[in-house]
Every structure is written in C-alpha cells, then in structure tokens.
Amino acid sequence: IVDFSCRDGKLWDTTMLDCRLQVIPFDSTTDFTYVVDLVGESIGLVSIQDNRKPLVVDLNTTRKNIGRSDLLIRAIGHKSKVVIDSTAGIGKDAMQIVMSGRQVVMIERDPVVSLLLKDGLRRISKQPFADRITLLCGDSIDFLGKITADAVYLDPMFEKTHKSALPGRDL
C-alpha cells in the first residue's frame, strides 16, 4: 500500500478535480512512501524513502513531426481521426498520436497517474494541439461505450521478464 500526500493546496485544487484522491495533510513524522508534491512548477510523485528522481509527466518532449510511416500511426490506421488511448499511462503514445494530427481521448484509471497527466496537460494548454487532447480519469470499460472514435489503442503493461523472445523495440 502506498500513501500519498500533497504540500501545495492551491495547485492541488486546480489540478485535482475528478481524480479521486484523498488529500492527507503532510506531516514530516508520518511514514509515507511517496508524496504528490511540487517539483519546480509541476506536480510530481516524489519518493520519501530514497533519492529517486521524481516522476513528472512532461508532454513537451514528444517528437513534433510524426510521419505516416511511424509504426504507431500505421497501427491505428491512417483513416482514424479520433483515437481513444484506453491505457494512457504517462501520455507518450497519446502525444505521438496527437502530433500526427489526430484527436485523442486519453483514459487513465490510476488516480495518481491521472493527476500527473492532468498537470502535464495544464502545462501544454497554450500549445496549438492542446485542444485535440482530452483526459478522462477512470476505468476505460466505463467510458468506451459512451465515446465515438475511429480506433481504440490499448497498450497494456507487462511485467519485466528475463525471456529473450520479447521484441527489443517499442510496438
């Protein structure tokens, strides 16, 4: 079980809407594993027990020119205009799809990852492509029958194994 907290109430209030996390006042004597905290001007997941780099969703690092030969774009189909990324994660694939000119509905069920994604979207809100991205917090099964789209992209996470039969590349 991982406990979460946040130290900045104003940023939390503006980013937190509909992400289903309970705010727990931070107390340095409390034994938290992770806290949701400010990292610069971003919200990040910070480890309290070691010096790991905080997890911050940075959607500005996606390649800007995605071609038709890109494997992900070929997988979803060139005719697809609206794509549902039903396992959004940290938004890397969704941003790649958006940069190819499509509209993306991201669905992320983990409330903490949803919060980090929402903060990442907040920071790119002035970009010209930002209006083509929507984030829904919850289980994709609850949303899929209610959204009209040309393609549904599903990228499940698998445990790391030591078997060599797995491909070494993305996709």
Side-chain angles (χ1 to χ4, degrees):
I1 296 175
V2 178
D3 295 317
F4 299 96
S5 179
C6 183
R7 300 180 200 177
D8 186 292
K10 182 179 178 189
L11 185 57
W12 178 269
D13 289 343
T14 59
T15 311
M16 180 56 197
L17 299 175
D18 75 15
C19 283
R20 305 181 328 255
L21 284 176
Q22 179 182 1
V23 178
I24 301 169
F26 183 77
D27 178 359
S28 60
T29 62
T30 308
D31 187 29
F32 289 112
T33 305
Y34 295 93
V35 295
V36 174
D37 198 3
L38 281 179
V39 177
E41 294 192 17
S42 305
I43 291 179
L45 183 61
V46 181
S47 174
I48 296 298
Q49 296 180 347
D50 54 30
N51 290 330
R52 291 183 193 178
K53 183 178 177 185
L55 175 61
V56 174
V57 171
D58 185 4
L59 301 174
N60 285 312
T61 60
T62 304
R63 290 188 344 226
K64 300 298 184 216
N65 45 353
I66 304 295
R68 291 178 57 91
S69 63
D70 184 84
L71 293 175
L72 176 58
I73 303 309
R74 286 176 48 197
I76 64 168
H78 295 296
K79 294 182 180 180
S80 299
K81 300 297 179 206
V82 179
V83 178
I84 297 172
D85 183 353
S86 61
T87 53
I90 59 171
K92 178 182 172 187
D93 294 335
M95 286 302 296
Q96 193 171 346
I97 296 168
V98 165
M99 291 304 180
S100 72
R102 289 154 176 82
Q103 181 176 342
V104 177
V105 177
M106 295 188 297
I107 304 173
E108 177 54 48
R109 73 177 178 177
D110 185 275
V112 174
V113 176
S114 294
L115 177 66
L116 299 178
L117 267 174
K118 193 169 187 175
D119 181 58
L121 289 172
R122 174 188 62 84
R123 287 181 277 114
I124 63 161
S125 64
K126 302 279 192 254
Q127 299 289 335
F129 55 83
D131 62 340
R132 295 195 314 261
I133 310 168
T134 305
L135 172 63
L136 301 173
C137 302
D139 195 326
S140 59
I141 292 172
D142 298 334
F143 293 108
L144 287 177
K146 302 171 187 170
I147 303 170
T148 303
D150 302 313
V152 176
Y153 175 66
L154 176 66
D155 183 15
M157 295 181 66
F158 296 100
E159 290 183 32
K160 294 279 186 192
T161 64
H162 298 292
K163 296 179 182 180
S164 61
L166 295 174
R169 306 184 299 178
D170 286 347
L171 211 59

